[in-house]
Short mmCIF file of all heavy atoms in Angstrom, two decimals:
data_model
loop_
_atom_site.label_atom_id
_atom_site.label_comp_id
_atom_site.label_asym_id
_atom_site.label_seq_id
_atom_site.Cartn_x
_atom_site.Cartn_y
_atom_site.Cartn_z
N ALA A 574 -30.09 -153.33 144.86
CA ALA A 574 -31.17 -153.87 144.27
C ALA A 574 -30.72 -154.94 143.29
O ALA A 574 -29.69 -154.95 142.64
CB ALA A 574 -31.82 -152.83 143.33
N ILE A 575 -31.45 -156.09 143.36
CA ILE A 575 -31.06 -157.37 142.47
C ILE A 575 -32.30 -157.55 141.63
O ILE A 575 -33.53 -157.53 141.99
CB ILE A 575 -30.79 -158.43 143.37
CG1 ILE A 575 -29.56 -158.20 144.30
CG2 ILE A 575 -30.51 -159.79 142.53
CD1 ILE A 575 -29.27 -159.32 145.34
N CYS A 576 -32.02 -158.06 140.36
CA CYS A 576 -33.07 -158.54 139.46
C CYS A 576 -33.99 -157.43 139.07
O CYS A 576 -33.70 -156.35 138.55
CB CYS A 576 -33.56 -159.78 140.08
SG CYS A 576 -34.36 -160.86 138.96
N HIS A 577 -35.30 -157.70 139.48
CA HIS A 577 -36.35 -156.67 139.23
C HIS A 577 -36.42 -155.58 140.27
O HIS A 577 -37.29 -154.67 140.17
CB HIS A 577 -37.63 -157.38 139.12
CG HIS A 577 -37.79 -158.12 137.83
ND1 HIS A 577 -37.19 -159.32 137.72
CD2 HIS A 577 -38.42 -157.93 136.55
CE1 HIS A 577 -37.46 -159.88 136.50
NE2 HIS A 577 -38.14 -159.06 135.89
N GLY A 578 -35.52 -155.59 141.23
CA GLY A 578 -35.48 -154.55 142.28
C GLY A 578 -35.32 -153.20 141.73
O GLY A 578 -35.59 -152.19 142.37
N ALA A 579 -34.66 -153.11 140.64
CA ALA A 579 -34.44 -151.82 140.01
C ALA A 579 -35.73 -151.03 139.71
O ALA A 579 -35.74 -149.88 139.60
CB ALA A 579 -33.56 -151.96 138.72
N GLN A 580 -36.79 -151.73 139.56
CA GLN A 580 -38.08 -151.13 139.28
C GLN A 580 -38.49 -150.24 140.50
O GLN A 580 -39.06 -149.15 140.21
CB GLN A 580 -39.21 -152.11 138.96
CG GLN A 580 -38.97 -152.93 137.57
CD GLN A 580 -39.93 -154.01 137.39
OE1 GLN A 580 -40.16 -154.78 138.32
NE2 GLN A 580 -40.41 -154.11 136.20
N LEU A 581 -38.09 -150.74 141.64
CA LEU A 581 -38.45 -149.75 142.79
C LEU A 581 -37.67 -148.52 142.78
O LEU A 581 -38.18 -147.40 143.09
CB LEU A 581 -38.13 -150.45 144.13
CG LEU A 581 -39.01 -151.70 144.42
CD1 LEU A 581 -38.37 -152.47 145.59
CD2 LEU A 581 -40.42 -151.28 144.68
N LEU A 582 -36.43 -148.53 142.32
CA LEU A 582 -35.55 -147.29 142.17
C LEU A 582 -36.11 -146.49 141.02
O LEU A 582 -36.05 -145.20 141.21
CB LEU A 582 -34.06 -147.83 141.97
CG LEU A 582 -33.48 -148.69 143.03
CD1 LEU A 582 -32.11 -149.11 142.66
CD2 LEU A 582 -33.55 -147.90 144.25
N ILE A 583 -36.53 -147.09 139.96
CA ILE A 583 -37.17 -146.26 138.91
C ILE A 583 -38.42 -145.57 139.44
O ILE A 583 -38.57 -144.29 139.23
CB ILE A 583 -37.61 -147.23 137.73
CG1 ILE A 583 -36.24 -147.76 137.03
CG2 ILE A 583 -38.38 -146.47 136.72
CD1 ILE A 583 -36.53 -148.99 136.03
N GLU A 584 -39.24 -146.26 140.09
CA GLU A 584 -40.43 -145.67 140.69
C GLU A 584 -40.09 -144.52 141.67
O GLU A 584 -40.84 -143.55 141.78
CB GLU A 584 -41.37 -146.66 141.35
CG GLU A 584 -42.10 -147.62 140.38
CD GLU A 584 -42.97 -146.84 139.44
OE1 GLU A 584 -43.76 -145.97 139.93
OE2 GLU A 584 -42.95 -147.10 138.18
N ALA A 585 -39.02 -144.72 142.39
CA ALA A 585 -38.62 -143.59 143.33
C ALA A 585 -37.92 -142.49 142.62
O ALA A 585 -37.61 -141.49 143.33
CB ALA A 585 -37.68 -144.24 144.38
N ASP A 586 -37.72 -142.59 141.32
CA ASP A 586 -37.10 -141.53 140.57
C ASP A 586 -35.76 -141.16 141.07
O ASP A 586 -35.34 -140.01 141.10
CB ASP A 586 -38.14 -140.33 140.59
CG ASP A 586 -37.78 -139.30 139.46
OD1 ASP A 586 -37.21 -139.77 138.41
OD2 ASP A 586 -38.01 -138.04 139.68
N VAL A 587 -34.95 -142.14 141.21
CA VAL A 587 -33.52 -141.81 141.71
C VAL A 587 -32.41 -142.46 140.83
O VAL A 587 -31.30 -142.59 141.22
CB VAL A 587 -33.32 -142.51 143.20
CG1 VAL A 587 -34.29 -141.74 144.12
CG2 VAL A 587 -33.60 -143.95 143.25
N VAL A 588 -32.74 -142.87 139.66
CA VAL A 588 -31.81 -143.65 138.75
C VAL A 588 -31.16 -142.71 137.72
O VAL A 588 -30.16 -143.02 137.13
CB VAL A 588 -32.43 -144.77 138.12
CG1 VAL A 588 -32.96 -145.80 139.14
CG2 VAL A 588 -33.52 -144.39 137.12
N LYS A 589 -31.67 -141.48 137.46
CA LYS A 589 -31.22 -140.60 136.33
C LYS A 589 -29.63 -140.36 136.62
O LYS A 589 -29.30 -139.85 137.65
CB LYS A 589 -31.95 -139.37 136.34
CG LYS A 589 -31.64 -138.56 135.13
CD LYS A 589 -32.53 -137.33 134.85
CE LYS A 589 -32.13 -136.70 133.61
NZ LYS A 589 -33.15 -135.55 133.36
N GLY A 590 -28.94 -140.60 135.56
CA GLY A 590 -27.51 -140.37 135.59
C GLY A 590 -26.64 -141.45 136.37
O GLY A 590 -25.43 -141.30 136.46
N LYS A 591 -27.28 -142.46 136.85
CA LYS A 591 -26.60 -143.47 137.58
C LYS A 591 -26.23 -144.58 136.69
O LYS A 591 -26.89 -145.05 135.89
CB LYS A 591 -27.46 -143.98 138.75
CG LYS A 591 -28.03 -143.02 139.62
CD LYS A 591 -27.02 -142.29 140.48
CE LYS A 591 -27.59 -141.49 141.67
NZ LYS A 591 -28.45 -140.38 141.23
N LYS A 592 -25.04 -145.23 137.02
CA LYS A 592 -24.60 -146.40 136.21
C LYS A 592 -25.20 -147.60 137.04
O LYS A 592 -24.86 -147.73 138.28
CB LYS A 592 -23.07 -146.52 136.25
CG LYS A 592 -22.53 -147.78 135.51
CD LYS A 592 -21.00 -147.64 135.45
CE LYS A 592 -20.46 -148.89 134.93
NZ LYS A 592 -18.98 -148.76 134.97
N MET A 593 -25.98 -148.50 136.49
CA MET A 593 -26.71 -149.57 137.13
C MET A 593 -26.83 -150.73 136.18
O MET A 593 -26.64 -150.68 134.98
CB MET A 593 -28.04 -149.05 137.64
CG MET A 593 -28.05 -147.84 138.34
SD MET A 593 -29.69 -147.35 138.73
CE MET A 593 -29.60 -147.63 140.50
N THR A 594 -27.17 -151.87 136.83
CA THR A 594 -27.63 -153.10 136.08
C THR A 594 -28.87 -153.67 136.70
O THR A 594 -29.20 -153.23 137.82
CB THR A 594 -26.41 -154.10 136.10
OG1 THR A 594 -26.70 -155.06 135.17
CG2 THR A 594 -26.15 -154.73 137.50
N CYS A 595 -29.45 -154.59 136.01
CA CYS A 595 -30.62 -155.22 136.45
C CYS A 595 -30.94 -156.31 135.53
O CYS A 595 -30.24 -156.59 134.63
CB CYS A 595 -31.86 -154.17 136.42
SG CYS A 595 -32.16 -153.60 134.78
N TYR A 596 -32.04 -157.08 135.73
CA TYR A 596 -32.53 -158.11 134.87
C TYR A 596 -32.75 -157.52 133.52
O TYR A 596 -33.26 -156.40 133.40
CB TYR A 596 -33.79 -158.67 135.49
CG TYR A 596 -34.11 -160.09 134.97
CD1 TYR A 596 -33.27 -161.11 135.44
CD2 TYR A 596 -35.00 -160.39 134.06
CE1 TYR A 596 -33.45 -162.41 134.99
CE2 TYR A 596 -35.26 -161.70 133.59
CZ TYR A 596 -34.48 -162.66 134.03
OH TYR A 596 -34.75 -163.93 133.57
N LYS A 597 -32.43 -158.25 132.45
CA LYS A 597 -32.48 -157.77 131.21
C LYS A 597 -33.85 -157.20 130.81
O LYS A 597 -33.95 -156.30 130.00
CB LYS A 597 -31.94 -158.81 130.11
CG LYS A 597 -30.44 -158.95 130.15
CD LYS A 597 -29.94 -159.64 128.86
CE LYS A 597 -28.52 -159.57 128.91
NZ LYS A 597 -27.91 -159.85 127.57
N SER A 598 -34.91 -157.79 131.24
CA SER A 598 -36.22 -157.47 130.81
C SER A 598 -36.61 -156.07 131.46
O SER A 598 -37.61 -155.38 131.09
CB SER A 598 -37.24 -158.52 131.20
OG SER A 598 -37.44 -158.53 132.59
N VAL A 599 -35.87 -155.59 132.42
CA VAL A 599 -36.10 -154.27 133.05
C VAL A 599 -35.18 -153.30 132.44
O VAL A 599 -35.25 -152.03 132.74
CB VAL A 599 -35.88 -154.35 134.64
CG1 VAL A 599 -36.11 -153.05 135.29
CG2 VAL A 599 -36.75 -155.45 135.16
N ALA A 600 -34.17 -153.61 131.79
CA ALA A 600 -33.06 -152.74 131.20
C ALA A 600 -33.67 -151.51 130.44
O ALA A 600 -33.17 -150.37 130.62
CB ALA A 600 -32.12 -153.54 130.35
N THR A 601 -34.57 -151.78 129.59
CA THR A 601 -35.19 -150.69 128.75
C THR A 601 -35.80 -149.71 129.68
O THR A 601 -35.72 -148.44 129.52
CB THR A 601 -36.20 -151.25 127.80
OG1 THR A 601 -35.55 -152.13 126.90
CG2 THR A 601 -36.82 -150.03 126.99
N ASP A 602 -36.53 -150.12 130.76
CA ASP A 602 -37.26 -149.28 131.72
C ASP A 602 -36.09 -148.43 132.40
O ASP A 602 -36.23 -147.23 132.57
CB ASP A 602 -38.05 -149.96 132.67
CG ASP A 602 -39.26 -150.69 132.18
OD1 ASP A 602 -39.66 -150.17 130.98
OD2 ASP A 602 -39.63 -151.64 132.66
N LEU A 603 -35.06 -149.07 132.74
CA LEU A 603 -33.92 -148.32 133.52
C LEU A 603 -33.38 -147.24 132.62
O LEU A 603 -33.15 -146.14 133.03
CB LEU A 603 -32.95 -149.33 133.91
CG LEU A 603 -31.95 -148.94 135.16
CD1 LEU A 603 -32.72 -148.52 136.36
CD2 LEU A 603 -31.04 -150.12 135.44
N LYS A 604 -33.04 -147.66 131.29
CA LYS A 604 -32.43 -146.68 130.43
C LYS A 604 -33.47 -145.51 130.16
O LYS A 604 -33.06 -144.30 130.15
CB LYS A 604 -32.21 -147.35 129.04
CG LYS A 604 -31.09 -148.29 129.11
CD LYS A 604 -30.97 -149.05 127.74
CE LYS A 604 -30.22 -150.35 127.82
NZ LYS A 604 -30.18 -151.11 126.64
N ASN A 605 -34.73 -145.87 129.96
CA ASN A 605 -35.79 -144.74 129.74
C ASN A 605 -35.97 -143.84 130.95
O ASN A 605 -36.34 -142.65 130.81
CB ASN A 605 -37.13 -145.36 129.50
CG ASN A 605 -37.22 -146.02 128.09
OD1 ASN A 605 -36.36 -145.64 127.10
ND2 ASN A 605 -38.11 -146.91 127.80
N ALA A 606 -35.58 -144.30 132.13
CA ALA A 606 -35.68 -143.46 133.39
C ALA A 606 -34.37 -142.58 133.58
O ALA A 606 -34.30 -141.84 134.47
CB ALA A 606 -35.77 -144.35 134.57
N GLY A 607 -33.36 -142.80 132.53
CA GLY A 607 -32.16 -141.93 132.56
C GLY A 607 -30.92 -142.64 133.16
O GLY A 607 -29.89 -141.95 133.35
N ALA A 608 -30.99 -143.95 133.51
CA ALA A 608 -29.83 -144.61 133.95
C ALA A 608 -28.86 -145.07 132.87
O ALA A 608 -29.33 -145.22 131.78
CB ALA A 608 -30.22 -145.81 134.90
N ASN A 609 -27.63 -145.22 133.17
CA ASN A 609 -26.72 -145.82 132.21
C ASN A 609 -26.55 -147.38 132.62
O ASN A 609 -25.94 -147.67 133.52
CB ASN A 609 -25.26 -145.19 132.45
CG ASN A 609 -24.24 -145.80 131.56
OD1 ASN A 609 -24.56 -146.41 130.52
ND2 ASN A 609 -22.99 -145.58 131.96
N TRP A 610 -27.35 -148.15 131.83
CA TRP A 610 -27.37 -149.62 132.12
C TRP A 610 -26.18 -150.33 131.53
O TRP A 610 -25.73 -149.99 130.37
CB TRP A 610 -28.63 -150.21 131.40
CG TRP A 610 -28.81 -151.61 131.76
CD1 TRP A 610 -29.23 -152.26 132.87
CD2 TRP A 610 -28.41 -152.72 130.82
NE1 TRP A 610 -29.25 -153.61 132.74
CE2 TRP A 610 -28.68 -153.91 131.44
CE3 TRP A 610 -28.01 -152.75 129.54
CZ2 TRP A 610 -28.53 -155.20 130.99
CZ3 TRP A 610 -27.74 -154.09 128.89
CH2 TRP A 610 -27.99 -155.21 129.58
N VAL A 611 -25.58 -151.25 132.31
CA VAL A 611 -24.51 -152.01 131.89
C VAL A 611 -24.71 -153.52 132.24
O VAL A 611 -25.51 -153.80 133.11
CB VAL A 611 -23.13 -151.55 132.44
CG1 VAL A 611 -22.71 -150.17 131.96
CG2 VAL A 611 -23.18 -151.55 133.97
N ASP A 612 -24.31 -154.39 131.41
CA ASP A 612 -24.55 -155.85 131.58
C ASP A 612 -23.32 -156.34 132.37
O ASP A 612 -22.43 -156.95 131.80
CB ASP A 612 -24.64 -156.54 130.31
CG ASP A 612 -25.11 -157.94 130.32
OD1 ASP A 612 -25.52 -158.40 131.52
OD2 ASP A 612 -25.02 -158.69 129.36
N LYS A 613 -23.28 -156.18 133.68
CA LYS A 613 -22.34 -156.72 134.50
C LYS A 613 -22.92 -157.41 135.70
O LYS A 613 -24.04 -157.07 136.07
CB LYS A 613 -21.36 -155.61 135.09
CG LYS A 613 -20.52 -155.04 133.99
CD LYS A 613 -19.74 -153.86 134.54
CE LYS A 613 -18.70 -154.30 135.45
NZ LYS A 613 -17.73 -153.32 135.92
N GLU A 614 -22.29 -158.35 136.43
CA GLU A 614 -22.80 -159.06 137.54
C GLU A 614 -23.10 -158.21 138.75
O GLU A 614 -24.02 -158.38 139.45
CB GLU A 614 -22.05 -160.22 137.85
CG GLU A 614 -20.67 -159.94 138.43
CD GLU A 614 -19.89 -161.24 138.80
OE1 GLU A 614 -20.51 -162.39 138.74
OE2 GLU A 614 -18.75 -161.16 139.28
N VAL A 615 -22.34 -157.20 138.96
CA VAL A 615 -22.59 -156.15 140.02
C VAL A 615 -22.03 -154.89 139.56
O VAL A 615 -21.00 -154.68 138.96
CB VAL A 615 -21.85 -156.66 141.28
CG1 VAL A 615 -20.44 -156.67 141.31
CG2 VAL A 615 -22.45 -155.75 142.44
N VAL A 616 -22.79 -153.88 139.96
CA VAL A 616 -22.42 -152.39 139.64
C VAL A 616 -22.50 -151.66 140.94
O VAL A 616 -23.59 -151.65 141.53
CB VAL A 616 -23.08 -151.80 138.52
CG1 VAL A 616 -22.87 -150.37 138.39
CG2 VAL A 616 -23.03 -152.53 137.19
N HIS A 617 -21.40 -151.06 141.41
CA HIS A 617 -21.49 -150.11 142.51
C HIS A 617 -21.23 -148.70 142.12
O HIS A 617 -20.19 -148.39 141.48
CB HIS A 617 -20.41 -150.52 143.53
CG HIS A 617 -20.52 -149.80 144.81
ND1 HIS A 617 -19.75 -150.10 145.87
CD2 HIS A 617 -21.31 -148.75 145.24
CE1 HIS A 617 -19.98 -149.27 146.96
NE2 HIS A 617 -20.96 -148.49 146.52
N PHE A 618 -22.26 -147.92 142.23
CA PHE A 618 -22.18 -146.54 141.75
C PHE A 618 -22.73 -145.67 142.78
O PHE A 618 -23.98 -145.66 143.09
CB PHE A 618 -23.01 -146.30 140.41
CG PHE A 618 -22.74 -144.87 139.83
CD1 PHE A 618 -21.67 -144.72 138.94
CD2 PHE A 618 -23.55 -143.90 140.07
CE1 PHE A 618 -21.58 -143.47 138.34
CE2 PHE A 618 -23.41 -142.64 139.61
CZ PHE A 618 -22.34 -142.47 138.66
N GLY A 619 -21.92 -144.86 143.46
CA GLY A 619 -22.41 -144.00 144.58
C GLY A 619 -23.00 -144.80 145.55
O GLY A 619 -22.47 -145.75 146.20
N GLN A 620 -24.30 -144.53 146.01
CA GLN A 620 -24.94 -145.32 147.11
C GLN A 620 -25.62 -146.48 146.65
O GLN A 620 -26.28 -147.17 147.42
CB GLN A 620 -25.94 -144.29 147.75
CG GLN A 620 -27.14 -143.94 146.91
CD GLN A 620 -27.78 -142.71 147.32
OE1 GLN A 620 -27.28 -141.64 147.55
NE2 GLN A 620 -29.18 -142.79 147.45
N PHE A 621 -25.63 -146.83 145.39
CA PHE A 621 -26.42 -147.96 144.79
C PHE A 621 -25.42 -149.07 144.49
O PHE A 621 -24.42 -148.90 143.91
CB PHE A 621 -27.17 -147.54 143.48
CG PHE A 621 -28.11 -146.50 143.75
CD1 PHE A 621 -27.90 -145.04 143.37
CD2 PHE A 621 -29.37 -146.75 144.34
CE1 PHE A 621 -28.85 -144.08 143.62
CE2 PHE A 621 -30.26 -145.79 144.63
CZ PHE A 621 -30.09 -144.47 144.17
N ILE A 622 -25.89 -150.33 144.86
CA ILE A 622 -25.31 -151.63 144.44
C ILE A 622 -26.37 -152.31 143.70
O ILE A 622 -27.38 -152.64 144.37
CB ILE A 622 -24.70 -152.27 145.64
CG1 ILE A 622 -23.59 -151.42 146.39
CG2 ILE A 622 -24.05 -153.62 145.14
CD1 ILE A 622 -23.14 -152.06 147.63
N THR A 623 -26.12 -152.71 142.45
CA THR A 623 -27.20 -153.41 141.74
C THR A 623 -26.48 -154.62 141.05
O THR A 623 -25.32 -154.69 140.74
CB THR A 623 -27.75 -152.56 140.65
OG1 THR A 623 -26.68 -151.96 139.75
CG2 THR A 623 -28.44 -151.44 141.19
N SER A 624 -27.33 -155.63 140.87
CA SER A 624 -27.02 -156.91 140.31
C SER A 624 -28.12 -157.37 139.23
O SER A 624 -29.25 -156.90 139.48
CB SER A 624 -26.75 -158.02 141.21
OG SER A 624 -25.53 -157.86 141.85
N ARG A 625 -27.78 -158.21 138.29
CA ARG A 625 -28.70 -158.63 137.22
C ARG A 625 -29.78 -159.57 137.65
O ARG A 625 -30.90 -159.54 137.29
CB ARG A 625 -27.92 -159.03 136.08
CG ARG A 625 -26.95 -158.13 135.40
CD ARG A 625 -26.13 -158.85 134.37
NE ARG A 625 -25.37 -160.00 135.05
CZ ARG A 625 -24.30 -160.64 134.54
NH1 ARG A 625 -24.04 -160.37 133.23
NH2 ARG A 625 -23.69 -161.51 135.18
N ARG A 626 -29.22 -160.64 138.34
CA ARG A 626 -30.12 -161.79 138.63
C ARG A 626 -29.64 -162.62 139.78
O ARG A 626 -28.48 -162.42 140.21
CB ARG A 626 -30.12 -162.69 137.29
CG ARG A 626 -28.86 -163.19 136.90
CD ARG A 626 -28.89 -164.00 135.57
NE ARG A 626 -27.54 -164.37 135.15
CZ ARG A 626 -26.86 -163.78 134.27
NH1 ARG A 626 -27.28 -162.65 133.78
NH2 ARG A 626 -25.64 -164.22 133.86
N PRO A 627 -30.41 -163.56 140.27
CA PRO A 627 -30.08 -164.42 141.53
C PRO A 627 -28.73 -165.04 141.32
O PRO A 627 -27.94 -165.21 142.24
CB PRO A 627 -31.13 -165.29 141.66
CG PRO A 627 -32.38 -164.60 141.12
CD PRO A 627 -31.92 -163.81 139.87
N ASP A 628 -28.36 -165.42 140.15
CA ASP A 628 -27.04 -166.12 139.91
C ASP A 628 -25.87 -165.15 140.25
O ASP A 628 -24.72 -165.55 140.59
CB ASP A 628 -26.78 -166.48 138.46
CG ASP A 628 -27.64 -167.69 138.06
OD1 ASP A 628 -28.25 -168.34 139.01
OD2 ASP A 628 -27.83 -167.96 136.83
N ASP A 629 -26.13 -163.87 140.32
CA ASP A 629 -25.11 -162.84 140.59
C ASP A 629 -25.04 -162.56 142.11
O ASP A 629 -24.31 -161.58 142.58
CB ASP A 629 -25.34 -161.53 139.84
CG ASP A 629 -25.28 -161.76 138.33
OD1 ASP A 629 -24.55 -162.66 137.81
OD2 ASP A 629 -25.98 -160.95 137.62
N LEU A 630 -25.82 -163.17 142.95
CA LEU A 630 -25.86 -162.90 144.29
C LEU A 630 -24.53 -162.91 145.07
O LEU A 630 -24.27 -162.07 145.99
CB LEU A 630 -26.79 -163.83 144.97
CG LEU A 630 -27.37 -163.53 146.41
CD1 LEU A 630 -27.95 -162.07 146.45
CD2 LEU A 630 -28.33 -164.52 146.88
N ALA A 631 -23.72 -163.88 144.72
CA ALA A 631 -22.43 -163.88 145.40
C ALA A 631 -21.52 -162.63 145.24
O ALA A 631 -20.95 -162.11 146.17
CB ALA A 631 -21.59 -165.21 145.06
N ALA A 632 -21.54 -162.24 144.01
CA ALA A 632 -20.84 -160.90 143.68
C ALA A 632 -21.50 -159.73 144.45
O ALA A 632 -20.83 -158.92 144.87
CB ALA A 632 -20.77 -160.75 142.15
N PHE A 633 -22.84 -159.84 144.37
CA PHE A 633 -23.54 -158.62 145.05
C PHE A 633 -23.26 -158.69 146.55
O PHE A 633 -22.98 -157.61 147.17
CB PHE A 633 -25.06 -158.89 144.84
CG PHE A 633 -25.89 -157.85 145.55
CD1 PHE A 633 -26.20 -156.67 144.89
CD2 PHE A 633 -26.47 -158.09 146.81
CE1 PHE A 633 -26.97 -155.67 145.57
CE2 PHE A 633 -27.23 -157.15 147.41
CZ PHE A 633 -27.49 -156.00 146.80
N ASN A 634 -23.31 -159.83 147.17
CA ASN A 634 -22.97 -159.92 148.68
C ASN A 634 -21.53 -159.48 148.91
O ASN A 634 -21.37 -158.81 149.88
CB ASN A 634 -23.20 -161.35 149.13
CG ASN A 634 -24.69 -161.64 149.27
OD1 ASN A 634 -25.54 -160.77 149.32
ND2 ASN A 634 -24.97 -162.97 149.19
N ARG A 635 -20.50 -159.87 148.11
CA ARG A 635 -19.18 -159.49 148.32
C ARG A 635 -19.07 -157.98 148.29
O ARG A 635 -18.41 -157.38 149.11
CB ARG A 635 -18.33 -160.08 147.22
CG ARG A 635 -17.78 -161.42 147.57
CD ARG A 635 -16.59 -161.89 146.56
NE ARG A 635 -17.08 -161.79 145.17
CZ ARG A 635 -17.67 -162.69 144.39
NH1 ARG A 635 -17.99 -163.84 145.04
NH2 ARG A 635 -17.86 -162.52 143.18
N GLU A 636 -19.57 -157.39 147.32
CA GLU A 636 -19.63 -155.87 147.16
C GLU A 636 -20.39 -155.23 148.37
O GLU A 636 -19.86 -154.26 148.92
CB GLU A 636 -20.19 -155.44 145.94
CG GLU A 636 -20.02 -153.97 145.60
CD GLU A 636 -18.64 -153.56 145.40
OE1 GLU A 636 -17.75 -154.41 144.97
OE2 GLU A 636 -18.34 -152.29 145.62
N LEU A 637 -21.48 -155.73 148.75
CA LEU A 637 -22.16 -155.15 149.88
C LEU A 637 -21.26 -155.25 151.20
O LEU A 637 -21.25 -154.33 151.91
CB LEU A 637 -23.55 -155.98 149.99
CG LEU A 637 -24.45 -155.37 151.14
CD1 LEU A 637 -24.86 -153.99 150.95
CD2 LEU A 637 -25.67 -156.36 151.28
N ILE A 638 -20.85 -156.44 151.46
CA ILE A 638 -20.01 -156.64 152.66
C ILE A 638 -18.69 -155.75 152.54
O ILE A 638 -18.40 -155.06 153.66
CB ILE A 638 -19.57 -158.08 152.84
CG1 ILE A 638 -20.94 -158.94 153.20
CG2 ILE A 638 -18.52 -158.32 153.87
CD1 ILE A 638 -20.70 -160.52 153.11
N TYR A 639 -18.17 -155.63 151.51
CA TYR A 639 -16.98 -154.80 151.33
C TYR A 639 -17.38 -153.33 151.61
O TYR A 639 -16.66 -152.68 152.39
CB TYR A 639 -16.44 -154.92 149.96
CG TYR A 639 -15.25 -153.88 149.59
CD1 TYR A 639 -13.94 -154.06 150.10
CD2 TYR A 639 -15.62 -152.77 148.88
CE1 TYR A 639 -13.00 -153.12 149.82
CE2 TYR A 639 -14.67 -151.75 148.61
CZ TYR A 639 -13.39 -151.99 149.13
OH TYR A 639 -12.34 -151.06 148.87
N THR A 640 -18.37 -152.98 151.10
CA THR A 640 -18.85 -151.59 151.29
C THR A 640 -19.25 -151.33 152.78
O THR A 640 -18.88 -150.22 153.38
CB THR A 640 -20.05 -151.21 150.47
OG1 THR A 640 -19.63 -151.45 149.09
CG2 THR A 640 -20.52 -149.78 150.61
N LEU A 641 -19.85 -152.13 153.37
CA LEU A 641 -20.28 -152.05 154.85
C LEU A 641 -19.01 -151.91 155.69
O LEU A 641 -18.92 -151.19 156.60
CB LEU A 641 -21.14 -153.12 155.27
CG LEU A 641 -22.58 -153.11 154.69
CD1 LEU A 641 -23.33 -154.35 155.01
CD2 LEU A 641 -23.31 -151.84 155.20
N LEU A 642 -18.06 -152.81 155.39
CA LEU A 642 -16.78 -152.80 156.15
C LEU A 642 -16.01 -151.50 155.98
O LEU A 642 -15.38 -150.98 156.89
CB LEU A 642 -15.95 -154.04 155.83
CG LEU A 642 -16.56 -155.40 156.39
CD1 LEU A 642 -15.77 -156.51 155.89
CD2 LEU A 642 -16.76 -155.47 157.82
N LEU A 643 -16.09 -151.06 154.68
CA LEU A 643 -15.34 -149.87 154.41
C LEU A 643 -15.87 -148.68 155.12
O LEU A 643 -15.02 -147.81 155.53
CB LEU A 643 -15.41 -149.65 152.82
CG LEU A 643 -14.65 -148.50 152.24
CD1 LEU A 643 -13.15 -148.65 152.43
CD2 LEU A 643 -15.04 -148.25 150.86
N TYR A 644 -17.13 -148.59 155.25
CA TYR A 644 -17.75 -147.39 155.90
C TYR A 644 -18.10 -147.65 157.37
O TYR A 644 -18.96 -146.94 157.95
CB TYR A 644 -18.97 -146.97 155.10
CG TYR A 644 -18.65 -146.43 153.72
CD1 TYR A 644 -18.86 -147.21 152.67
CD2 TYR A 644 -17.97 -145.21 153.61
CE1 TYR A 644 -18.47 -146.76 151.40
CE2 TYR A 644 -17.57 -144.70 152.45
CZ TYR A 644 -17.80 -145.44 151.28
OH TYR A 644 -17.53 -145.04 150.04
N GLU A 645 -17.62 -148.73 157.89
CA GLU A 645 -17.99 -149.12 159.32
C GLU A 645 -17.41 -148.10 160.29
O GLU A 645 -18.06 -147.78 161.27
CB GLU A 645 -17.37 -150.39 159.61
CG GLU A 645 -17.62 -150.97 161.05
CD GLU A 645 -17.03 -152.21 161.41
OE1 GLU A 645 -16.13 -152.62 160.54
OE2 GLU A 645 -17.36 -152.86 162.34
N HIS A 646 -16.28 -147.41 159.98
CA HIS A 646 -15.86 -146.48 161.04
C HIS A 646 -16.20 -145.09 160.67
O HIS A 646 -16.08 -144.40 159.85
CB HIS A 646 -14.39 -146.59 161.12
CG HIS A 646 -13.89 -147.98 161.48
ND1 HIS A 646 -14.45 -148.77 162.46
CD2 HIS A 646 -13.07 -148.87 160.90
CE1 HIS A 646 -13.98 -149.99 162.49
NE2 HIS A 646 -13.05 -150.10 161.58
#
């Protein structure tokens, strides 16, 4: 999830106890839903990869590709 995409994860009720990041205006919602919000360009925690904003897309893509290649076999 990138930017405001974390709102979908909040609505799906899957963020409690997870370390995540998102756009700053969504951070309070993420915290209130039980997530551990951190201000980093990309956070990979369990099955979730999250980023703060479109400027972080390169870091998000690197982490996504790394994860896909790691679990390819």
Side-chain angles (χ1 to χ4, degrees):
I575 301 173
C576 204
H577 288 76
Q580 290 174 320
L581 295 172
L582 300 175
I583 292 167
E584 288 298 316
D586 196 27
V587 295
V588 302
K589 188 172 186 174
K591 308 291 190 298
K592 181 178 174 184
M593 306 179 112
T594 194
C595 63
Y596 201 74
K597 285 196 176 201
S598 65
V599 181
T601 300
D602 295 334
L603 200 56
K604 292 176 198 174
N605 287 340
N609 176 20
W610 180 81
V611 293
D612 188 13
K613 293 178 66 175
E614 67 180 356
V615 67
V616 175
H617 186 175
F618 188 90
Q620 67 199 52
F621 298 104
I622 300 172
T623 54
S624 284
R625 300 172 298 191
R626 57 184 177 262
D628 290 345
D629 299 332
L630 192 56
F633 179 86
N634 286 339
R635 275 192 305 274
E636 188 63 27
L637 182 62
I638 290 167
Y639 171 78
T640 301
L641 290 172
L642 292 174
L643 182 66
Y644 294 107
E645 180 181 16
H646 304 314

